[in-house]
Structures are given as structure tokens and as C-alpha cells.
Amino acid sequence: MEKTSKLKNLIYSSSLDFLMEAHNGLAAKIVEETGFKGIWASGLSISAAMGVRDNNEASWTQVLDVLEFMSDATSIPILLDGDTGYGNFNNARRLVKKLEQRNIAGVCIEDKLFPKTNSFIAGDKQPLADIDEFCGKIKAMKDTQCDENFMVISRVEAFITGWGLKEALRRAEAYRKAGTDAILIHSKRTDIAEIESFMKEWAGRLPIVIVPTKYYATPTEKFRQLGANVVIWANHNLRSSIIAMQKISRQIFNEQTLSGVESTIATINEVFRLQDAAELKEAEKRYLPQGKDSDAAYD
Ligand code: SPV
Ligand code: MG
């Protein structure tokens, strides 16, 4: 099955599904191996892994390069966090074209202004995208996709920017009419109150995607009861890897030896396995003149 159809099924199925964050090819592969059915290519995580801020400091083609590695390394669908679409409708529709060429299954765009600010950074009432302009962007993206199952998800930032429920519903409805495939409703509250109020009024008009980074203590069963379709675990591979890297760097720095760390980290063979080094070994037998295969280090 195409990756686009897989993502569409996941979004449109009545059961609750989960997307796990990845920010490079290795993380994407680990997410797939773990059993997740889809990947969230997080803007926060990809930019952080590049050592830059989540303010569109990395160009969209640099993000595309990362996605290409992620997509090549996996067979489950990837949903890109496409920020604001990196410009106006024209930039956003070109993004769709390039994503389809790389076998990315869908993109989520948010109704903020370029360059974007991470939803958890700027506190006060911020201006959102003009509704009509954002609807034009959705239409342009949907008109551009070649694969009818490619997903364009619209992220409503009305709660995040302090505009409240009425504005959130007004925007979600406008985006639905413009042809979006699903709504991502976002909240930075530590409880589910905003999401719950939205879900009750929304009443299943389109599938709903949520990102419980801040309301992490809410039981997953509650998301099911409210009728959410997809939950995104948005940045947890990045955040756990930060702790792991800080810990190992500190220990090696302090101890000036590897003797205390070797048994606590992945083996080199595990790295080779994740890279599928064995496949190359087999291919060399088929394609290299006999007796001339490379003496690879993993022998
Ligand atoms: C991201 O993962 O970059 C997101 C989700 O946009 S959040 O950071 O929760 O806003
Ligand atoms: Mg983001």
C-alpha cells in the first residue's frame, strides 16, 4: 500500500492512532521498528537536531533533505510539520510537489505568520494568518497534489495565541470548507479543557489530530472518549536523546576513559544493523567480481 493511503487510513479510521516524532533517518527507522504506524517529522526536533531555532532558520530545502533520508529509511508514512508552508500559497504548493517526489505522505500547516515561532515560546496574543489567505493556501496545496490520498492537515493556533474557542471553531470550519483533510487543534494548557471544549462543538466534522506535549498527564483513554483520531508524540525522541548525549559526554569527559560506558551504550554492531550493513554485504557477493569484495570494517 502507498504511504499516502496508509496515512489516510490512519487519520480516517475510527480507532485512535499514534504518530511518533523523528528528526533524522536513524530516529525514523527506530520509530518504525518499534511498531508505530506513522512518523511525525517535527519542525522543533529537526531544527534542534540541526542546532538552530524553531523559527524557520533552517531553509525548507534543508528540511526536505532530512525528510528524504527519513523517507528512504522507512516504509511507514511520514507527516511533515510544515510550519506555515514556508511562505504564501505559491511556496506551500511547491512544497507539496517536492514532498510527493520524496514519498512523504502528508503535511500539516499552521495558521501563523512566517517566520513562525514555536507554540510554546511566545505567550501573548499573537496575530494569526488571515483566514482567507490561509484558505487559499489550503486550496492551492490540495489542487497541486498528484496523489489523491496525500494529506493536507490544517493546524489551528487560536488557543495557543489566546483567541479562544469561538475563533478556533470559526477557523477550523473555514479550513474544512477550503478542503483540508483533517484539523490539528493545539493547546498549551496543562489540562485538556480547551481541547475538550473544541471537540464537543466540532462534533466530528473532520478527523482531529492532537499534540499532548503540555497536557501529557491526561490519560490516553480520555482522547479516545473525546473522539480524537490521531495523537502525536511530538518531540520525545529528541528530548530523550538530549539526556542520553549529555549524560555520556559528561561521563567520558569526567572519567577520560571508555571503560565505564561501553556496556551502557548501543554496540557498534547495533549501529551496523540499523544501517542494514548486511544488505550491502549480500549485494557485494552478487555485484562485485568474485574475490574483490571490500574488506568492510563490519566483517
Ligand atoms: C513540532 O513538533 O515542531 C510541533 C509540535 O510543531 S509543538 O512543538 O508541540 O508545537
Ligand atoms: Mg512545529
Side-chain angles (χ1 to χ4, degrees):
M1 196 194 290
E2 297 286 335
K3 287 182 178 179
T4 48
S5 313
K6 288 184 189 170
L7 181 63
K8 186 174 185 177
N9 289 347
L10 210 133
I11 292 170
Y12 276 82
S13 78
S14 53
S15 66
L16 184 66
D17 284 298
F18 305 93
L19 299 184
M20 180 69 184
E21 170 262 323
H23 50 273
N24 59 28
L26 175 66
K29 197 150 189 179
I30 289 172
V31 168
E32 175 165 17
E33 276 192 359
T34 305
F36 281 100
K37 288 197 225 152
I39 295 168
W40 171 245
S42 155
L44 172 66
S45 300
I46 291 174
S47 57
M50 287 173 166
V52 296
R53 287 169 286 231
D54 190 15
N55 295 72
N56 298 121
E57 289 185 345
S59 74
W60 71 275
T61 55
Q62 289 173 320
V63 173
L64 212 54
D65 286 342
V66 175
L67 285 170
E68 187 167 1
F69 282 107
M70 290 170 62
S71 184
D72 286 349
T74 49
S75 61
I76 53 173
I78 298 175
L79 175 65
L80 169 66
D81 171 9
D83 294 340
T84 59
Y86 310 110
N88 72 1
F89 80 92
N90 192 37
N91 306 94
R93 68 179 177 172
R94 185 163 166 79
L95 172 68
V96 169
K97 185 173 166 187
K98 293 288 144 187
L99 291 177
E100 287 198 291
Q101 288 170 357
R102 282 157 186 77
N103 207 7
I104 303 301
V107 59
C108 178
I109 52 163
E110 61 198 53
D111 55 0
K112 291 205 295 235
L113 303 176
F114 180 90
K116 57 77 53 86
T117 306
N118 184 273
S119 299
F120 303 136
I121 285 187
D124 300 333
K125 224 174 191 181
Q126 295 173 54
L128 289 173
D130 175 80
I131 294 192
D132 292 337
E133 195 263 343
F134 197 75
C135 287
K137 198 180 267 186
I138 294 166
K139 282 184 194 140
M141 293 168 82
K142 290 304 293 175
D143 285 346
T144 298
Q145 69 189 62
C146 296
D147 180 336
E148 59 175 2
N149 295 320
F150 183 88
M151 294 283 100
V152 174
I153 299 178
S154 299
R155 165 165 158 181
V156 175
E157 289 280 292
F159 287 134
I160 296 284
T161 50
W163 293 93
L165 176 62
K166 214 169 145 215
E167 184 64 13
L169 286 163
R170 188 168 81 97
R171 285 177 172 269
E173 179 61 12
Y175 306 159
R176 185 184 71 80
K177 286 192 179 137
T180 199
D181 295 295
I183 298 290
L184 189 160
I185 185 72
H186 207 10
S187 171
K188 61 184 176 192
R189 283 181 64 107
T190 54
D191 60 46
I192 186 90
E194 286 175 338
I195 301 293
E196 182 160 17
S197 65
F198 179 89
M199 296 290 287
K200 286 188 171 153
E201 292 286 331
W202 183 250
R205 276 174 258 172
L206 271 183
I208 293 292
V209 180
I210 58 173
V211 187
T213 303
K214 290 285 180 180
Y215 48 99
Y216 60 84
T218 306
T220 299
E221 196 44 41
K222 181 73 182 172
F223 306 148
R224 279 199 187 89
Q225 280 165 13
L226 290 175
N229 298 76
V230 175
V231 170
I232 295 177
W233 312 122
N235 43 48
H236 300 79
N237 274 321
L238 174 85
R239 288 163 61 194
S240 68
S241 70
I242 289 172
I243 297 284
M245 289 192 283
Q246 286 170 334
K247 186 169 171 280
I248 204 73
S249 286
R250 206 179 306 120
Q251 189 174 348
I252 294 174
F253 178 79
N254 288 336
E255 296 178 0
Q256 296 191 345
T257 172
L258 302 177
S259 65
V261 303
E262 182 64 21
S263 64
T264 70
I265 57 178
T267 62
I268 295 289
N269 277 336
E270 173 63 355
V271 179
F272 292 148
R273 188 192 65 77
L274 285 160
Q275 291 171 308
D276 203 6
E279 191 279 334
L280 178 57
K281 211 57 198 149
E282 282 306 307
E284 283 172 350
K285 282 187 202 144
R286 279 200 306 281
Y287 302 123
L288 278 180
Q290 280 223 328
K292 287 195 183 169
D293 60 329
S294 65
D295 284 324
Y298 49 81
D299 260 347

